[in-house]
Amino acid sequence: MDPAAQTRLDRALKHSMIKQNTGDSACGTSGLDVRGVSISIGTTQIVSHVSFHATTGEVLAIIGPSGSGKTTLLKAITGEFKYAGHIQLAGDEIGTLSSEDLAYVRGVLPQASFISFPLTVSEVVGLGILDLKLDRRNRALRVGEALQKVGLAGYEGRTYQELSGGEQQRAQLARVLCQVWEPITPDGTKRWLFLDEPVSSLDIKHQYQIMQLAADYANRGGGVVAVLHDLNLTSAFADKVMVMKSGKMVGLGTHDDVLQAELLSHAYDIPLEICQTPHGRPYLLPSF
């Protein structure tokens, strides 16, 4: 890297970290706090000393090249992986919460879900409904509305295994939505969606549909943290962006602050440039 480019990169990194520090200080215990988190699998450290804060009412996208620790970090945040440091959701340490408490406050869409039994789509989606007070009619209404939200209206009676990969992914998202249906519960609890590559198997229409659904959930008061690979979807829907590389956070801020050519070129080890659509929306392309 030439000296001028290195200077621009250093400036972008510094600017991103300043945004992080000034934005978190007044947040207190609300939202999601990740402080000094490191994660090892066996003897290999996958994530190193990551700290950030996310709030409800916004979409936080975690981006970075494959193998940078994004999914590992998300699994620690959702209670699946052990970690060193602190991960608190609304002031409660994740590692101290029961499975029931976690299920009440957050829904998780993994990269892949495998079901061996010949369940119908309605049965799979209904697994997410935790409210035992719902009668059969209202459960069916909830399932139908969730399927409509993900573009699978009328699929209730189909066998889950009959669906394409993308349809299965959307059915699983409908299940997660049923689990945390209201972003803010009657007792004032603010809920979260944690999504790991939610659009990886989808065509462009359904990519935008699912990301709009996530944005709407945040707009209604919930929190959304999504691991994404598509930088242009990130630009279109994320309120805040966190960039990871080699297990470390190398940038955090608004998409305008973080989606900078120098920073992203450094993170992905490929020259990138920021372009503009005729309507003024930024998009990223390799600058070969």
Side-chain angles (χ1 to χ4, degrees), residues 260-274:
Q260 300 292 328
E262 292 82 9
L263 175 57
L264 295 181
S265 297
H266 165 71
Y268 286 92
D269 291 322
I270 184 173
L272 297 170
E273 61 180 321
I274 309 292

Side-chain angles (χ1 to χ4, degrees), residues 164-184:
S164 68
E167 289 170 339
Q168 289 183 356
Q169 189 175 27
R170 285 185 281 148
Q172 290 294 340
L173 178 57
R175 173 188 59 78
V176 173
L177 287 175
C178 282
Q179 180 184 333
V180 288
W181 188 250
E182 294 296 339
I184 304 177

Side-chain angles (χ1 to χ4, degrees), residues 104-105 142 145 176-186 189-192 217 220-222:
Y104 180 71
V105 76
R142 175 73 55 84
E145 189 173 349
V176 173
L177 287 175
C178 282
Q179 180 184 333
V180 288
W181 188 250
E182 294 296 339
I184 304 177
T185 67
T189 300
K190 293 186 177 182
R191 287 167 154 172
W192 291 76
Y217 193 87
R220 292 190 292 127

Side-chain angles (χ1 to χ4, degrees), residues 17-181:
M17 301 308 284
I18 289 173
K19 286 285 185 178
Q20 171 200 350
N21 292 334
T22 57
D24 290 351
S25 59
C27 293
T29 59
S30 65
L32 171 67
D33 280 295
V34 176
R35 289 179 283 131
V37 166
S38 297
I39 308 161
S40 296
I41 299 178
T43 59
T44 303
Q45 189 172 66
I46 307 299
V47 174
S48 303
H49 306 293
V50 169
S51 298
F52 67 92
H53 182 86
T55 65
T56 52
E58 68 180 19
V59 176
L60 169 66
I62 303 177
I63 64 173
S66 298
S68 58
K70 304 182 299 296
T71 291
T72 299
L73 177 62
L74 194 69
K75 287 184 175 182
I77 292 171
T78 58
E80 186 173 346
F81 280 0
K82 293 182 178 180
Y83 57 89
H86 296 280
I87 302 176
Q88 295 182 335
L89 199 59
D92 294 318
E93 189 73 26
I94 289 293
T96 66
L97 295 175
S98 68
S99 298
E100 291 79 7
D101 289 337
L102 286 171
Y104 180 71
V105 76
R106 59 91 179 110
V108 182
L109 180 69
Q111 280 189 29
S113 302
F114 302 99
I115 296 178
S116 300
F117 300 103
L119 300 177
T120 65
V121 172
S122 179
E123 289 170 331
V124 171
V125 176
L127 292 172
I129 299 177
L130 303 180
D131 186 355
L132 300 180
K133 297 179 182 179
L134 282 183
D135 58 25
R136 180 177 297 180
R137 176 179 177 276
N138 284 312
R139 286 177 64 90
L141 289 173
R142 175 73 55 84
V143 168
E145 189 173 349
L147 287 171
Q148 185 175 26
K149 285 178 178 288
V150 300
L152 292 177
Y155 279 57
E156 288 89 338
R158 295 184 61 173
T159 303
Y160 180 79
Q161 281 75 15
E162 295 176 1
L163 304 184
S164 68
E167 289 170 339
Q168 289 183 356
Q169 189 175 27
R170 285 185 281 148
Q172 290 294 340
L173 178 57
R175 173 188 59 78
V176 173
L177 287 175
C178 282
Q179 180 184 333
V180 288
W181 188 250

